């Protein structure tokens, strides 16, 4: 079955694809929401959701149709496209999902890939407390210095290292990508890149804890825009955030 189904005429050729990973605090999904709303991106395609936890809901701004677990957003005159993932991969289908996602990206004609995700704040070392954002550039990826991710080579974003041993399981699971506590499939995606991978790829991670993570998402979205050198004059929150993103306010009459 085809993994990607376009819903509008749109080409990913030459675009930077932003891939938010379902991870701690859902900070990557919230940052993707901000990028989609602020850049006025619209849904241009949906992906086969068979490897993901089923979810369906209303679309943003009461648009017709339904929201699905995995969708692609873009606009012709904006040089980035954003994948929005709203539910995690099924435990038995993680590698199948990663393989399908990477195959879509490999054949998309994208100019670069930026994976974004969260990492558990409680697992920081003392030096890592100096900055909330860090980066991973997987080995074998093409040189970043002359492409869409060139800013990563000059911005003061430290390289991520894990305070936790990366060899927690069997020899077959060993990888040179460091362990990412709370990082979801970030490590698996980066570790699954083939030796012949030709698309410049990097990962941004942000230290977060569960809670009201709108401010964390704003910071992550701002870092993404800085890395990709995308001008966002005014950041805009999706209208759905105003409908109880983190629950409705308490009735103050309860407190006298």
């Amino acid at each position: 079955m085809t993994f990607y189904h376009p819903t509008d005429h749109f080409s990913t050729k030459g675009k930077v694809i932003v891939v938010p990973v379902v991870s701690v605090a859902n900070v990557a999904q919230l940052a993707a929401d901000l990028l989609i709303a602020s850049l006025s991106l619209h849904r241009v395609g949906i992906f086969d959701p068979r490897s993901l936890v089923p979810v369906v809901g209303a679309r943003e701004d009461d648009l017709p149709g339904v929201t699905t677990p995995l969708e692609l957003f873009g606009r012709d005159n904006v040089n980035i496209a954003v994948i929005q993932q709203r539910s995690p991969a099924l435990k038995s289908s993680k590698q199948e999902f990663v393989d399908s996602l990477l195959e879509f990206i490999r054949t998309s004609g994208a100019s670069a890939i930026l994976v974004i995700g969260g990492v558990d704040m409680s697992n920081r070392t003392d030096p890592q407390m100096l900055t909330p954002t860090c980066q991973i550039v997987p080995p074998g990826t093409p040189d970043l210095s002359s492409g869409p991710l060139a800013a990563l080579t000059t911005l003061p974003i430290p390289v991520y290292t894990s305070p936790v041993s990366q060899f927690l399981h069997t020899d077959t699971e060993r990888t040179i990508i460091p362990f990412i506590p709370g990082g979801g499939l970030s490590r698996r995606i980066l570790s699954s890149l083939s030796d012949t991978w030709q698309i410049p790829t990097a990962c941004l991670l942000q230290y977060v804890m569960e809670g009201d993570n709108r401010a964390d998402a704003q910071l992550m979205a701002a870092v993404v825009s800085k890395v990709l050198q995308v001008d966002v004059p005014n950041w805009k929150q999706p209208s759905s955030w105003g409908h109880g993103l983190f629950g409705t306010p308490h009735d103050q009459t309860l407190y006298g």
Side-chain angles (χ1 to χ4, degrees):
M1 184 174 179
T2 303
F3 181 62
Y4 175 67
H5 304 270
T7 59
D8 203 350
H9 179 71
F10 178 77
S11 173
T12 53
K13 187 174 182 179
K15 306 280 189 183
V16 178
I17 299 181
V18 178
V19 182
V21 177
V22 175
S23 49
V24 62
N26 287 324
V27 66
Q29 278 66 46
L30 297 175
D33 271 348
L34 288 170
L35 290 167
I36 291 167
S38 301
L39 295 173
S40 300
L41 307 184
H42 60 273
R43 188 174 74 179
V44 295
I46 61 176
F47 297 88
D48 183 355
R50 69 177 65 193
S51 298
L52 304 175
V53 173
V55 65
V56 69
R59 293 184 63 194
E60 196 74 44
D61 299 323
D62 297 321
L63 290 171
V66 295
T67 290
T68 63
L70 195 65
E71 300 176 325
L72 180 66
F73 291 80
R75 189 155 59 92
D76 286 339
N77 59 343
V78 177
N79 69 347
I80 72 170
V82 179
I83 292 176
Q84 181 59 295
Q85 183 180 348
R86 295 187 174 85
S87 67
L90 296 166
K91 184 177 181 180
S92 60
S93 303
K94 290 180 179 180
Q95 192 60 48
E96 178 185 352
F97 168 68
V98 169
D99 291 343
S100 296
L101 178 64
L102 291 180
E103 179 60 19
F104 162 75
I105 293 171
R106 186 187 68 81
T107 58
S108 67
S111 60
I113 306 300
L114 185 62
V115 179
I116 59 175
V119 57
D120 187 357
M121 183 182 286
S122 64
N123 280 276
R124 290 181 297 174
T125 61
D126 287 350
Q128 289 171 334
M129 293 183 182
L130 299 176
T131 176
T133 310
C134 50
Q135 62 167 301
I136 298 176
V137 177
T141 190
D143 181 43
L144 304 184
S145 61
S146 60
L149 301 179
L152 263 180
T153 64
T154 58
L155 289 172
I157 301 175
V159 174
Y160 173 76
T161 57
S162 178
V164 181
S165 171
Q166 60 185 5
F167 301 140
L168 298 180
H169 304 294
T170 64
D171 286 344
T172 59
E173 294 175 322
R174 294 194 175 200
T175 170
I176 59 176
I177 302 298
F179 181 65
I180 307 171
L185 295 181
S186 302
R187 188 187 191 207
R188 186 183 291 255
I189 291 172
L190 298 176
S191 301
S192 297
L193 299 179
S194 69
D195 294 337
T196 58
W197 189 257
Q198 296 296 313
I199 304 173
T201 302
C203 176
L204 286 177
L205 297 172
Q206 185 164 316
Y207 294 103
V208 287
M209 296 186 71
E210 296 287 352
D212 185 341
N213 298 103
R214 282 173 285 194
D216 296 314
Q218 180 75 57
L219 174 60
M220 172 164 265
V223 174
V224 170
S225 69
K226 190 75 172 178
V227 168
L228 300 182
Q229 303 178 64
V230 175
D231 182 35
V232 183
N234 297 293
W235 288 102
K236 177 184 175 184
Q237 294 187 0
S239 60
S240 59
W241 283 23
H243 303 308
L245 178 64
F246 292 101
T248 54
H250 296 299
D251 183 351
Q252 294 302 305
T253 60
L254 293 172
Y255 308 102

